[in-house]
Amino acid sequence: VAPFMLRRTKASVVQELPDKTEITLNVELTEDEMATYEVIRREAEQRFREEGEQLSVNALAEITRLRRTACSVALTNSEWTGGSSKVNAFMELVSDIVEGGHSVLVFSQFTSFLKIIAQALTDANLPYLYLDGNLTIRQREQLVTDFQKGKRPIFLISLKAGGVGLNLTAA
């Protein structure tokens, strides 16, 4: 049986690409962010105790809720006005990258988090491109072309949309 989808590695696409650079940056949440996260974590823990062996489906939902809260409390609390430590750290990092004349790909599983980042970039007058699953093939191709040509140095990409046939060698 032949595979339905073939995955190419960067080495098979372009030989002269440099190695990928990964930066791990630990971000401390503020006390308010941490307190909110802890409340949600305790609620999830309590639900797990009550549900016993029934928790498999709900466990994933609770873990996702915690991951979203860790990105930005605003993703799980629409009344949150305290900002986001991770967005602040991202803005410092991306500003340095762009000032250095480099381009950057930013991936997230959560399109709602990408939209928060997009707003922060807009507020800081930093040009970016945005790709999620709502775009047509033609729109996707245009965004990729624009990024490859250096029209915008920041490319925000949802993991779902980005996992399908993107060749981005400019970053």
Side-chain angles (χ1 to χ4, degrees):
V1 175
F4 291 104
M5 183 182 341
L6 297 175
R7 183 174 186 269
R8 298 181 297 165
T9 62
K10 75 175 184 179
S12 68
V13 176
V14 179
Q15 300 291 325
E16 59 275 359
L17 283 176
D19 289 335
K20 174 175 64 172
T21 301
E22 283 192 40
I23 299 170
T24 301
L25 179 63
N26 293 319
V27 177
E28 290 286 326
L29 300 179
T30 64
E31 286 184 27
D32 289 342
E33 288 173 309
M34 198 61 217
T36 302
Y37 181 90
E38 187 61 21
V39 166
I40 292 171
R41 188 194 66 74
R42 287 182 182 170
E43 288 172 356
E45 187 177 42
Q46 181 62 35
R47 277 195 274 287
F48 293 157
R49 282 194 195 114
E50 292 169 0
E51 293 176 8
E53 294 182 24
Q54 300 280 335
L55 68 105
S56 61
V57 173
N58 293 333
L60 182 57
E62 293 297 333
I63 290 168
T64 299
R65 187 171 174 223
L66 286 167
R67 288 180 56 225
R68 291 170 55 88
T69 303
C71 288
S72 175
V73 176
L75 295 176
T76 54
N77 180 349
S78 60
E79 296 175 13
W80 179 260
T81 59
S84 169
S85 296
K86 289 193 176 181
V87 172
N88 294 340
F90 168 80
M91 291 302 293
E92 287 179 32
L93 183 62
V94 81
S95 294
D96 291 344
I97 290 170
V98 171
E99 285 175 15
H102 302 285
S103 54
V104 61
L105 302 173
V106 180
F107 293 93
S108 178
Q109 178 181 358
F110 307 118
T111 56
S112 52
F113 187 55
L114 286 177
K115 289 179 180 169
I116 289 173
I117 290 173
Q119 185 59 55
L121 291 169
T122 298
D123 293 346
N125 292 319
L126 289 171
Y128 66 91
L129 298 166
Y130 179 88
L131 172 65
D132 67 16
N134 293 325
L135 301 176
T136 65
I137 299 277
R138 185 164 286 143
Q139 290 170 319
R140 285 172 56 96
E141 290 170 353
Q142 185 60 53
L143 289 172
V144 169
T145 300
D146 289 349
F147 184 75
Q148 293 293 91
K149 289 182 178 179
K151 290 186 178 180
R152 306 259 171 103
I154 305 166
F155 202 169
L156 307 179
I157 306 170
S158 77
L159 279 177
K160 243 182 184 174
V164 184
L166 288 180
N167 286 327
L168 297 165
T169 57

